Amino acid sequence: MDPGSQTIGSLVDEAAGRSQEDLEALLGPLVLVGLPRVATQTADADDPWAFATSSGLCEPLDDPMVSFRESLVYGIRKARPGPFADTVLVGRASSNDVCIQDPSLSKLHARFHLRPGGIVQLSDSSSKNGTWLNGHRLAPNKPVDVKPGDEVQFGVRTLSVYSIPRLHTLVSKLAGR
């Protein structure tokens, strides 16, 4: 599992007794939810006929709720307090606030900007493989508004944006409340 992320399944257990406000304090104003990557297989260096294969995201399972339970959740919040409390860094380096372990992401891939009034914006940090919002590639360093229901793509990783009220409702239903 990626550093700083958890699965929906673990949130069901953890959030069973939490209010919507508690969940927002834990995860931030919005969250990113997406399936984990399949592990990459490496080639056997001693076998000249061996080759490396890697696959993208996990194939959806037959039961969509099982797939949803296995999805990773990334809170859009600062991992550590600091002087830039309104900027959340995204990338594969562990120093980012949102660390997504995927070779298609740059070390510093993108930034979320937390603006007054609950507005969240996203900008690409001149990443190699780009940042996409709802199928449109973002121009580097030009923030655009992000809202619940949007799809964000960093490199080859596609994640859905959820509001805390929506996530709380879904997690509560999975917990049987």
Side-chain angles (χ1 to χ4, degrees):
M1 186 169 6
D2 292 340
S5 68
Q6 49 193 325
T7 64
I8 291 287
S10 68
L11 263 184
V12 168
D13 299 332
E14 184 179 324
R18 289 185 187 251
S19 68
Q20 186 173 303
E21 292 77 21
D22 290 341
L23 204 54
E24 185 168 349
L26 175 70
L27 297 171
L30 296 173
V31 295
L32 300 170
V33 177
L35 290 172
R37 274 185 71 79
V38 174
T40 302
Q41 299 173 350
T42 57
D44 181 357
D46 296 331
D47 183 356
W49 291 98
F51 57 92
T53 60
S54 77
S55 54
L57 299 177
C58 296
E59 290 297 320
L61 302 174
D62 293 337
D63 181 351
M65 292 315 289
V66 172
S67 292
F68 186 67
R69 281 181 181 269
E70 293 178 357
S71 293
L72 296 178
V73 178
Y74 302 91
I76 301 175
R77 60 162 171 36
K78 289 300 284 183
R80 294 167 289 289
F84 303 102
D86 62 346
T87 303
V88 176
L89 305 177
V90 179
R92 73 172 193 272
S94 62
S95 58
N96 290 301
D97 301 303
V98 178
C99 180
I100 301 174
Q101 295 294 318
D102 188 296
S104 71
L105 271 74
S106 297
K107 288 179 185 176
L108 173 57
H109 197 94
R111 292 177 172 89
F112 283 101
H113 310 277
L114 309 176
R115 303 290 187 216
I119 296 170
V120 176
Q121 294 182 314
L122 174 64
S123 64
D124 182 72
S125 297
S126 300
S127 65
K128 180 180 177 183
N129 293 321
T131 301
W132 304 73
L133 180 64
N134 298 323
H136 301 286
R137 188 171 185 155
L138 302 184
N141 302 309
K142 300 218 186 229
V144 297
D145 290 354
V146 175
K147 61 188 181 319
D150 285 344
E151 272 196 0
V152 177
Q153 183 177 336
F154 305 112
V156 299
R157 292 294 301 273
T158 301
L159 303 158
S160 297
V161 178
Y162 281 80
S163 67
I164 292 299
R166 178 73 175 136
L167 182 69
H168 187 265
T169 299
L170 292 171
V171 167
S172 295
K173 283 183 181 178
L174 289 173
R177 289 192 287 145

